[in-house]
Amino acid sequence: MKKLLSIIAIFLFVASLSPDAFSRMKFVTIGTGGVTGVYYPTGGAIGRIVNKKSKVYGLKVTVESTGGSVYNINAVLSGDLEFGIAQSDRQYQAWYGLAEWKDKGPQKALRSVFSIHPESITLIARADAGINSPADLKGKRVNIGNPGSGQLQNSKDVLAAFGLSENDIKAEYAKAVEAPGLLQDERIDAFFYTVGHPNGNIKEATSGRIKVKLVPIAGEGAEKLVTKYPYYAKSIIPVKFYPNAVNKEDVPSVGVKATFVTSKDVDAKIVYAITKEVFDNLDKFKKLHPAYSVLTKENMLQGLTAPIHKGALKYYKEAGLIKYIRKDLIQ
């Protein structure tokens, strides 16, 4: 149905153009994720911002619901999509030929454009459990994620950065959706969940009989994590999203980023136009979804692995943002 609506929208738009305008118009598609997640509305938000200038750029952006990060990266590289949204750790793995790309090898045609909302590694604990840092999890009952999940590896990375391992805690391996109930039933002391905010599971965890808090992932341990793994970046969890938590201030953490990627073969003028419209209209863009509230121009250049596309790089130089980009991403 979503794809049908996209086709209808394109048809109506094309019908409004003169034959000469149509011949000059370029159409590009953004691969996102499931329609109930954050990736799909993110693609739609980018499209709405850019399409307001369709006649200026001769460009029309459409959105496609997809299977997510791995699909989007592969589709961008094959030319089936011009742009895609992917987790920063997946971008890293593709660039270096790891995980799903182990047999294919490094995907050197991949290019970064910018990063979007953070997907924070969120540590939730009972307020009376004496957990004020990941280092305090020693000996505690902690859900670190179900086998095969991305958050399980994220949890292990945080534990290691703070000098702990699975053997130092009483580890549980339940799915994220089960963790709030386990915490409220006092069957665990804390749980990890890698997610964009606001999130329904976290709201559930903070709204029960047992008082809970969001535990900061900060300090030396966090510095070690973002230094060792370039796909992690610092993040902030706004406490306003969880008014029933005991926290009074926003909570620092680390996490992966949702990143906007393309191929080196995509026209630089198209990449420039999209980058310029998103960054020049960032205040408007941030209002399109609660997950964008923490975005700044600076943190939208963090958590990237593949080199910046030359079209985006042109804008960053013009806007004075080049100083916020790692030198190895500039080619």
Side-chain angles (χ1 to χ4, degrees), residues 313-326:
L313 203 58
K314 180 177 184 292
Y315 171 78
Y316 298 140
K317 288 177 180 177
E318 292 176 356
L321 296 171
I322 199 77
K323 61 186 176 182
Y324 299 109
I325 301 173
R326 293 200 328 264

Side-chain angles (χ1 to χ4, degrees), residues 52 83 180 263 273 328:
K52 289 181 179 180
F83 298 93
S263 162
D328 59 305

Side-chain angles (χ1 to χ4, degrees), residues 112-241:
S112 300
V113 183
F114 48 78
S115 61
I116 319 170
H117 61 278
E119 297 180 306
S120 298
I121 303 175
T122 309
L123 179 56
I124 306 294
R126 291 196 347 259
D128 61 358
I131 301 171
N132 299 306
S133 161
D136 298 328
L137 293 173
K138 187 172 184 178
K140 304 293 186 181
R141 301 166 297 171
V142 187
N143 186 58
I144 59 176
N146 57 295
S149 68
Q151 72 176 23
L152 176 57
Q153 186 59 54
N154 298 152
S155 302
K156 291 179 180 178
D157 289 345
V158 171
L159 289 172
F162 284 82
L164 301 175
S165 72
E166 290 173 89
N167 296 328
D168 294 311
I169 63 173
K170 297 173 183 177
E172 298 288 342
Y173 301 91
K175 294 181 179 179
V177 69
E178 301 170 2
L182 294 174
L183 190 69
Q184 285 295 324
D185 290 341
E186 300 184 74
R187 293 164 61 187
I188 58 174
D189 301 304
F191 69 88
F192 285 100
Y193 189 17
T194 302
V195 69
H197 295 279
N199 174 261
N201 280 353
I202 307 300
K203 286 184 178 180
E204 178 187 347
T206 59
S207 300
R209 174 180 60 87
I210 301 297
K211 294 296 182 181
V212 305
K213 63 181 174 183
L214 285 70
V215 179
I217 300 176
E220 185 177 348
E223 293 293 342
K224 287 181 180 178
L225 197 62
V226 299
T227 300
K228 183 175 182 180
Y229 302 106
Y231 47 81
Y232 283 130
K234 293 180 181 179
S235 63
I236 295 292
I237 303 171
V239 71
K240 67 180 181 181
F241 292 148

Side-chain angles (χ1 to χ4, degrees), residues 36 114 276 278 317:
T36 59
F114 48 78
K276 177 177 173 59
V278 170
K317 288 177 180 177

